[in-house]
Amino acid sequence: QVQLVESGGGSVQAGGSLRLSCAASGRTFSGYDMGWFRQAPGKEREFVAAIRRGAGSTYYADSVKGRFIISEDNAKNTVYLQMNSLKPEDTAVYYCAAKSKISSSSWYNDFAYGYWGQGTRVTVSS
């Protein structure tokens, strides 16, 4: 069992920055990699970024590449999403999710992730 709690959302003007955090707990967390997804009003949930924990490999959606950075602090069991140069189209509820290390499913598919946080809202105004 893995529990995930996101924080750090809020409102910001276009061009600003926010850092989201995802704190994980559970005895089996070491067996999971992490991802961030988002869902804007009226739209489907979409992949944002993912990290292979321990190896440092990262994956990004084209829409955020060069602006967002995913990172980890294993000592704190926490994954971060640093979001820079925010745009109004980044407005969404952001979710962190855990993907089993033994899963061969694509990083980009939400069905590959077995555990989800409750989400944190990000609003970017123009």
Side-chain angles (χ1 to χ4, degrees):
Q1 191 80 2
V2 175
Q3 295 81 41
L4 304 173
V5 179
E6 303 99 333
S7 61
S11 297
V12 65
Q13 288 193 327
S17 298
L18 283 174
R19 188 178 78 157
L20 306 183
S21 300
C22 175
S25 60
R27 292 187 305 169
T28 61
F29 181 61
S30 61
Y32 290 84
D33 295 314
M34 297 297 295
W36 285 96
F37 287 75
R38 66 186 182 186
Q39 187 166 21
K43 295 188 177 181
E44 293 187 352
R45 187 164 56 189
E46 65 174 359
F47 172 81
V48 175
I51 186 166
R52 188 185 302 275
R53 293 178 57 243
S57 302
T58 57
Y59 310 86
Y60 296 96
D62 288 343
S63 59
V64 306
K65 202 171 293 183
R67 299 188 298 122
F68 290 12
I69 301 171
I70 187 171
S71 62
E72 59 176 335
D73 184 335
N74 283 329
K76 297 182 179 179
N77 277 357
T78 299
V79 174
Y80 304 98
L81 185 67
Q82 178 66 43
M83 305 187 296
N84 301 319
S85 302
L86 282 161
K87 304 175 181 180
E89 51 263 43
D90 294 318
T91 295
V93 177
Y94 284 71
Y95 300 89
C96 68
K99 175 180 178 293
S100 173
K101 283 186 174 289
I102 64 173
S103 170
S104 59
S105 297
S106 170
W107 294 96
Y108 306 94
N109 293 327
D110 57 3
F111 61 76
Y113 296 77
Y115 296 96
W116 293 81
Q118 82 289 349
T120 186
R121 186 174 300 276
V122 172
T123 302
V124 184
S125 57
S126 57

